[in-house]
Amino acid sequence: MPTPTKRQARKKSTSSRSTKKAPGKRAKNKEQTKARILKAALELFGQKGFYKTTTKEISRKARIAEGTLFNYFKTKEDLALYFFETELQNCIDWYYQDDYVRAAPLPEKLFGLVQHYLDRVEPYEEFIGAVYLRALQPRSRLNPLSLEVQELRLRELMFIRDILEEAEEREEVPPLGEFGVYALGLGFLAVVTYWLNDRSEGKENTMALLDRALTLGSHVLRQGGWEW
Amino acid sequence: MPTPTKRQARKKSTSSRSTKKAPGKRAKNKEQTKARILKAALELFGQKGFYKTTTKEISRKARIAEGTLFNYFKTKEDLALYFFETELQNCIDWYYQDDYVRAAPLPEKLFGLVQHYLDRVEPYEEFIGAVYLRALQPRSRLNPLSLEVQELRLRELMFIRDILEEAEEREEVPPLGEFGVYALGLGFLAVVTYWLNDRSEGKENTMALLDRALTLGSHVLRQGGWEW
DNA sequence: GCGTTAAAATGAGTACACTCATCTTTTGAG
DNA sequence: CTCAAAAGATGAGTGTACTCATTTTAACGC
């Protein structure tokens, strides 16, 4: 029994002659439906929150049958996860397209990235815990969400690795390897959890903490006290 | 509307004359029932896992009605949480009763504590994520578990504070204050998440990481590079 | 067009955590 | 002992995420 593949991009362009992209009515509909679901979900989550929004309501608002929703998203949490995927991708794109940020020294770079990410993720603050934090518990196949979350986490870690490798090449930091990636990812998680608890105006406490932590981190690394 | 208090220890010993403890049939039954529920839940979680065990099964095995379970535990997750409360308390008691550990230097002390905790928590590895890790998301009153989890986390942090204060008095570390507590708690969380992903024999990778991290931490602190 | 096949939509059905009005047991005062 | 009040147990009922057999729609060769 092969596991069903999903989200595969089809590039079969055999039949139609001149048009490079042959979207086809089917693919188009599917895209539209998915967009409608996401739009409806986002609005309802914004109005009533993640927990008080039912999948029935989302279906109704998206003008589809109740069951159809689950053809697009395996679970309600998987649907919510989609927003984080989008925002992470946005963050990655932003980084690779902004030359100023890419050229900046590592601490400034990280500060900018985290700030950007938190800004974008802010609307989903309520359910970030229900969804995203599960990345910390990847075992147990019983949890049906784990695979999706794991993918997201992996993409995040790969992005962090890129940034760290770049910094290593520029000799901004000593070679840290995989452990550095893990540690930085953990630091990021720490900031997010602090941010979740931060009730200060405009989350300024978080930004202050982040600033200080980056300064401290640079300091420790520059002292080279890293052999262990 | 005052929030209902729970789990309060009653010490009214007004009526019965000679016996110091007047348990009363009611309290006794309640205790027994609770114990039966916990026993049944633990067995079933062990056999089938947290997610595949239904509250109905637990009730049946504990020989109570389905609804009764929820007189004792607000949610299924709250029931699972009970095991972590117990183990944390056990850990605290263990620490305060073992003079050898209490006298040890801070890194050894922390190593012993974490090892002890992980040993005890190991049977619940499958659902530690479903329950315990929610402490990271304390906001959003919609999540009905948050209060209980928050209590547990608080107790943990208070324990960490005790340990740190002791170390500060003995001048094993510079004064770190509340930030130190937070950082150490985060470090602990890091170890737990690593442990959750660790498939090595006997979780030896985790223990190795813990050892190295403690050595590194001591080193950094001893260098005094802490002004920021 | 027409028929066939595969993709996708449908919504009644299911499973399960949790609620609540009602019934049962314990307590304690007289 | 009696009885009223309080604590607790009960299980049918409810809401909701999710499933699946069936129906509808799109694609495509003829």
Side-chain angles (χ1 to χ4, degrees), chain B residues 61-75:
Chain B
K61 189 155 198 162
R63 299 196 311 281
I64 54 170
E66 287 176 50
T68 305
L69 193 151
F70 295 95
N71 293 338
Y72 288 83
F73 301 96
K74 277 216 285 285
T75 66

Side-chain angles (χ1 to χ4, degrees), chain B residues 91-116 159 163 166 170 172:
Chain B
C91 220
I92 294 175
D93 294 345
W94 174 79
Y95 173 72
Y96 283 114
Q97 275 158 27
D98 189 323
D99 292 336
Y100 179 73
V101 176
R102 282 200 74 186
L106 187 60
E108 278 79 352
K109 189 183 288 189
L110 292 175
F111 189 90
L113 269 169
V114 173
Q115 192 173 37
H116 187 80
F159 182 45
I163 292 175
E166 219 169 32
R170 284 203 251 165
E172 291 183 286

Side-chain angles (χ1 to χ4, degrees), chain B residues 15-26:
Chain B
S15 58
S16 61
R17 207 145 44 118
S18 60
T19 52
K20 265 187 189 175
K21 30 175 159 175
K25 200 168 184 180
R26 192 157 246 158

Side-chain angles (χ1 to χ4, degrees), chain B residues 84 87-88 90-92 94-96 98 101-102 104-123 128 132 156 159-160 163 183-196 198 202-215:
Chain B
F84 293 98
E87 297 309 338
L88 176 62
N90 174 288
C91 220
I92 294 175
W94 174 79
Y95 173 72
Y96 283 114
D98 189 323
V101 176
R102 282 200 74 186
L106 187 60
E108 278 79 352
K109 189 183 288 189
L110 292 175
F111 189 90
L113 269 169
V114 173
Q115 192 173 37
H116 187 80
Y117 182 74
L118 292 179
D119 274 356
R120 300 218 43 124
V121 143
E122 205 209 290
I128 192 170
Y132 178 71
E156 189 181 295
F159 182 45
I160 291 177
I163 292 175
L184 195 52
L186 186 73
F188 177 63
L189 181 74
V191 173
V192 172
T193 63
Y194 189 88
W195 177 83
L196 284 171
D198 185 0
K203 304 279 191 186
E204 55 188 12
N205 287 355
T206 300
M207 298 332 276
L209 171 76
L210 180 59
D211 187 47
R212 292 202 294 173
L214 287 170
T215 307

Side-chain angles (χ1 to χ4, degrees), chain B residues 3-178:
Chain B
T3 51
T5 59
K6 25 160 283 187
R7 284 173 198 157
Q8 74 277 36
R10 258 181 292 169
K11 287 206 174 175
K12 269 217 283 185
S13 58
T14 45
S15 58
S16 61
R17 207 145 44 118
S18 60
T19 52
K20 265 187 189 175
K21 30 175 159 175
K25 200 168 184 180
R26 192 157 246 158
K28 214 169 191 174
N29 276 346
K30 231 184 154 182
E31 227 172 287
Q32 284 175 348
T33 304
K34 189 166 189 173
R36 279 215 312 283
I37 294 174
L38 287 167
K39 185 158 175 282
L42 191 54
E43 279 175 30
L44 287 168
F45 289 166
Q47 282 167 28
K48 323 181 48 178
F50 175 76
Y51 295 103
K52 288 199 174 168
T53 301
T54 66
T55 53
K56 203 172 184 170
E57 282 176 295
I58 298 171
S59 304
R60 189 147 36 85
K61 189 155 198 162
R63 299 196 311 281
I64 54 170
E66 287 176 50
T68 305
L69 193 151
F70 295 95
N71 293 338
Y72 288 83
F73 301 96
K74 277 216 285 285
T75 66
K76 185 182 172 187
E77 294 187 344
D78 187 37
L79 168 56
L81 194 60
Y82 194 88
F83 297 116
F84 293 98
E85 282 179 19
T86 306
E87 297 309 338
L88 176 62
Q89 193 54 54
N90 174 288
C91 220
I92 294 175
D93 294 345
W94 174 79
Y95 173 72
Y96 283 114
Q97 275 158 27
D98 189 323
D99 292 336
Y100 179 73
V101 176
R102 282 200 74 186
L106 187 60
E108 278 79 352
K109 189 183 288 189
L110 292 175
F111 189 90
L113 269 169
V114 173
Q115 192 173 37
H116 187 80
Y117 182 74
L118 292 179
D119 274 356
R120 300 218 43 124
V121 143
E122 205 209 290
Y124 320 129
E125 182 174 346
E126 184 215 355
F127 55 92
I128 192 170
V131 176
Y132 178 71
L133 292 179
R134 299 228 172 162
L136 302 176
Q137 169 74 329
R139 292 280 271 291
S140 85
R141 295 289 122 216
L142 304 172
N143 179 353
L145 189 61
S146 59
L147 209 69
E148 270 70 22
V149 158
Q150 204 60 0
E151 268 180 46
L152 179 59
R153 176 106 175 124
L154 196 65
R155 204 134 47 100
E156 189 181 295
L157 287 176
M158 273 162 40
F159 182 45
I160 291 177
R161 191 178 61 190
D162 277 358
I163 292 175
L164 258 191
E165 272 177 4
E166 219 169 32
E168 284 173 14
E169 273 168 31
R170 284 203 251 165
E171 295 186 356
E172 291 183 286
V173 293
L176 301 172
E178 283 305 309

